[in-house]
Amino acid sequence: MSLAVAVLGAAAVAGRLLLGTESAGSAALPAGYTRVHDTASGFSVAIPKDWQAGSGDTGYGTVYRPNGGSDRSAALQVFRVTDETATACDYLRSSAESLSQTPGYRDISRNPVAGGGCEQVYAYDDPDSSEPPAHGIARLTVVADGTRWVLLAYGPDTDVPLVRKRLTTAVGSFRTE
């Protein structure tokens, strides 16, 4: 699954994190989530409370993982898109090209979403890994200031609704700062 994160975030830069909590007047987060602020990359996003930035993920945006950042079975990755020329769906398609050549990768769907974004859903079963097959959902979203960001959630394909909830919560809470 590390390859899944690496492919979509190759152009991004890791940020320094400051953990934060919701302030008065902020939108309420679902139970079990907290807001983190990545001041170096300039965003905040909601992640599950027991997640932290993963170690060893530099160069691929900011990657949050369970169990203090060491558990590689699930993740939420966030990075800014610097290619402003490609459409949202073309960007996601080209970002996944090298992964799509990997045995075990299966593209499920890629569709435009409201606001000029796109969502790509895929499955990845690494034949050389003992980890369970993964279900991934990448959403390229355009925020109010016009910048484009990718939020990618993945986890075991045995719990697709939880992967969807993590992505939906992240996209709904995402703010540039």
Side-chain angles (χ1 to χ4, degrees), residues 75-93:
L76 174 70
Q77 176 185 10
V78 180
F79 64 91
R80 185 171 177 190
V81 176
T82 57
D83 177 359
E84 298 295 328
T85 61
T87 68
C89 287
D90 285 344
Y91 180 83
L92 290 180
R93 179 179 20 260

Side-chain angles (χ1 to χ4, degrees), residues 45-47 51 62-64 74-78 151-153 166-167 170:
V45 67
I47 63 172
W51 287 30
T62 304
V63 182
Y64 303 97
L76 174 70
Q77 176 185 10
V78 180
L151 289 84
L152 165 66
R166 289 174 178 153
L167 179 72

Side-chain angles (χ1 to χ4, degrees), residues 89-173:
C89 287
D90 285 344
Y91 180 83
L92 290 180
R93 179 179 20 260
S94 67
S95 293
E97 280 180 6
S98 62
L99 183 59
S100 68
Q101 304 303 312
T102 305
Y105 176 86
R106 184 170 49 94
D107 201 10
I108 297 171
S109 65
R110 186 179 310 105
N111 297 300
V113 294
C118 187
E119 184 173 282
Q120 178 171 339
V121 180
Y122 66 91
Y124 182 66
D125 186 3
D126 184 348
D128 298 326
S129 174
S130 61
E131 293 182 20
H135 182 83
I137 309 169
R139 170 80 64 96
L140 189 152
T141 187
V142 181
V143 296
D145 66 5
T147 57
R148 301 187 324 164
W149 295 78
V150 170
L151 289 84
L152 165 66
Y154 78 83
D157 71 348
T158 55
D159 204 350
V160 172
L162 182 57
V163 174
R164 169 63 65 188
K165 178 182 179 182
R166 289 174 178 153
L167 179 72
T168 301
T169 300
V171 168
S173 69

